[in-house]
Amino acid sequence: EAQVTQNPRYLITVTGKKLTVTCSQNMNHEYMSWYRQDPGLGLRQIYYSMNVEVTDKGDVPEGYKVSRKEKRNFPLILESPSPNQTSLYFCASSRLAGGVVAETQYFGPGTRLLVL
Amino acid sequence: RKEVEQDPGPFNVPEGATVAFNCTYSNSASQSFFWYRQDCRKEPKLLMSVYSSGNEDGRFTAQLNRASQYISLLIRDSKLSDSATYLCVVKGGATNKLIFGTGTLLAVQP
């Protein structure tokens, strides 16, 4: 089954304790992206990757890091989480067609993060 | 001004009603337009793309007005299962980035 998986699905942590949210897709997609969703603000892009070893900042990259060492995986790293990073996080993937992101982005099930 | 603006709702409608959502976008260079559906606490999923000539998929009709930078989604014969948040999404210009609206909440009542 074609899918995007994220782990963990729910996480409660404390300020300053480094954490990683994993994302994996089995569709051989070149493009992967991380979003956060907050009430009244919608989905905002954190980072994206056009291919292995190619990553770039989205709209709200501060406080986050990513890596793309393998095509299927795109982990999101919070080196020193703060309460303002409490949010719902989605990973997404898509194929590229002629260097352009295809119409459909496939989203993971989301990770609810609470930073105390 | 937000790049993509939607009425947040909620739209409360009875089963069988016709309901329309509107969305405006600010970047005239935007090239692709979509409606995504998001159920409560779930991930967004593509509902339909929006083409310049307008397009229909069963009970759903999407329209684009480039001159007014305006997108619409019409749902006919609403079902309880249509209850969800509908996200207007624009991809544009020189980037591959998808810009999401904050969504319009639809609640279909029995």
Side-chain angles (χ1 to χ4, degrees):
Chain A
E1 180 191 353
Q3 60 183 351
V4 179
T5 57
Q6 294 178 228
N7 281 292
R9 295 288 314 281
Y10 304 92
L11 180 60
I12 300 174
T13 190
V14 296
T15 298
K17 186 176 181 183
K18 180 180 179 179
L19 66 92
T20 299
V21 184
T22 63
C23 173
S24 183
Q25 50 94 5
N26 63 1
M27 295 169 279
N28 201 37
H29 286 164
E30 296 87 359
Y31 182 89
M32 296 186 75
S33 180
W34 275 102
Y35 297 89
R36 61 178 287 174
Q37 187 173 33
D38 302 288
L41 296 176
L43 278 154
R44 295 178 292 167
Q45 191 178 51
I46 302 170
Y47 269 94
Y48 65 94
S49 170
M50 299 289 279
N51 215 325
V52 176
E53 302 292 0
V54 180
T55 63
D56 211 344
K57 296 177 180 178
D59 297 315
V60 288
E62 295 78 21
Y64 304 95
K65 288 173 62 175
V66 292
S67 69
R68 188 89 182 275
K69 294 185 170 58
E70 305 164 285
K71 197 171 187 179
R72 63 182 293 128
N73 296 323
F74 191 44
L76 179 69
I77 303 152
L78 284 71
E79 294 271 3
S80 183
S82 62
N84 65 11
Q85 292 179 296
T86 292
S87 188
L88 175 58
Y89 291 86
F90 288 104
C91 180
S93 76
S94 178
R95 62 179 180 84
L96 292 179
V100 176
V101 178
E103 291 186 346
T104 305
Q105 284 206 9
Y106 295 85
F107 284 82
T111 296
R112 289 195 173 272
L113 173 64
L114 173 61
V115 183
L116 300 172
Chain B
R1 182 187 172 189
K2 289 182 181 176
E3 291 186 77
V4 178
E5 294 207 60
Q6 296 182 248
D7 181 344
F11 282 61
N12 295 299
V13 303
E15 272 187 289
T18 295
V19 61
F21 307 137
N22 302 320
C23 166
T24 57
Y25 60 96
S26 61
N27 185 353
S28 59
S30 299
Q31 296 175 346
S32 303
F33 309 90
F34 315 94
W35 285 101
Y36 274 68
R37 171 191 168 131
Q38 185 174 23
D39 293 302
C40 187
R41 299 177 182 274
K42 297 284 186 69
E43 71 273 23
K45 292 183 180 178
L46 179 66
L47 177 67
M48 60 195 300
S49 301
V50 186
Y51 302 120
S52 297
S53 54
N55 49 298
E56 191 173 302
D57 182 2
R59 297 181 293 107
F60 298 83
T61 300
Q63 297 209 307
L64 168 65
N65 184 322
R66 284 189 184 271
S68 302
Q69 295 180 204
Y70 167 100
I71 306 157
S72 67
L73 176 69
L74 181 78
I75 305 174
R76 291 181 299 278
D77 189 22
S78 300
K79 312 289 185 193
L80 293 175
S81 58
D82 293 333
S83 297
T85 296
Y86 291 83
L87 305 173
C88 176
V89 185
V90 172
K91 184 172 76 172
T95 74
N96 278 310
K97 195 166 68 171
L98 293 183
I99 311 290
F100 287 80
T102 53
T104 297
L105 178 62
L106 171 65
V108 181
Q109 315 287 346

